[in-house]
């Protein structure tokens, strides 16, 4: 299971740090992905990280502003979000599709999927 936290309301230009705690599966061998879904839109992958944390990948719209990381000792995934924009408003989910990094916006391709945390960027 996956449980996200850290969402909230932030002004444009602000920062938030999301966390995702994993249980009931071997987190340390799984790649992880953050996926978001804005109101009225389909899911879109945001950032992905390998099981070791050595390889990361970002969609173009967040590269340079967001940073994905993980602490395998704590079974926790993070997403540091800086310079937030109104278009970043969405429900953010953590997900895993297995050992290989998955950069997919299709929910059915993921084995594990959290309940989501709301991020609202507004003045």
């Amino acid at each position: 299971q996956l449980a996200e936290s850290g969402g909230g309301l932030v002004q444009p230009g602000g920062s938030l740090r999301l966390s995702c705690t994993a249980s009931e599966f071997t987190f340390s061998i799984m790649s992880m992905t953050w996926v978001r879904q804005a109101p009225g839109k389909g899911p879109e992958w945001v950032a992905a990280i390998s099981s070791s944390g050595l390889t990361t990948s970002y969609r173009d719209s967040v590269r340079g502003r967001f940073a994905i990381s993980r602490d395998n000792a704590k079974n926790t995934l993070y997403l540091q979000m800086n310079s937030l924009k109104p278009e970043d408003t969405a429900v953010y989910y953590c997900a895993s599709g297995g050992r290989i990094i998955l950069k997919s916006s299709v929910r059915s391709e993921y084995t594990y999927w959290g309940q989501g945390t709301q991020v609202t960027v507004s003045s």
Side-chain angles (χ1 to χ4, degrees):
Q1 292 185 355
L2 298 169
E4 301 91 340
S5 62
L9 173 64
V10 63
Q11 292 186 343
S15 298
L16 279 176
R17 188 194 197 200
L18 305 184
S19 299
C20 168
T21 301
S23 61
E24 301 181 11
F25 69 93
T26 308
F27 177 78
S28 61
I29 65 172
M30 305 289 272
S31 67
M32 298 296 297
T33 305
W34 284 100
V35 181
R36 67 186 179 187
Q37 186 165 12
K41 297 185 178 180
E44 63 177 17
W45 79 277
V46 174
I49 189 168
S50 63
S51 57
S52 66
L54 294 178
T55 302
T56 58
S57 187
Y58 301 90
R59 71 181 302 108
D60 289 346
S61 61
V62 307
R63 187 175 293 113
R65 300 188 297 121
F66 290 11
I68 188 172
S69 62
R70 65 191 296 161
D71 185 337
N72 286 344
K74 296 182 178 180
N75 284 355
T76 303
L77 174 74
Y78 302 100
L79 185 67
Q80 177 67 44
M81 305 186 295
N82 300 324
S83 302
L84 282 162
K85 304 176 181 180
E87 52 263 42
D88 295 317
T89 295
V91 178
Y92 284 71
Y93 302 90
C94 59
S96 180
R99 294 177 183 244
I100 298 184
I101 285 183
L102 186 58
K103 296 182 285 185
S104 172
S105 299
V106 179
R107 180 167 180 165
S108 60
E109 294 188 7
Y110 292 93
T111 303
Y112 300 100
W113 187 275
Q115 87 287 350
T117 186
Q118 176 70 47
V119 172
T120 302
V121 184
S122 175
S123 55

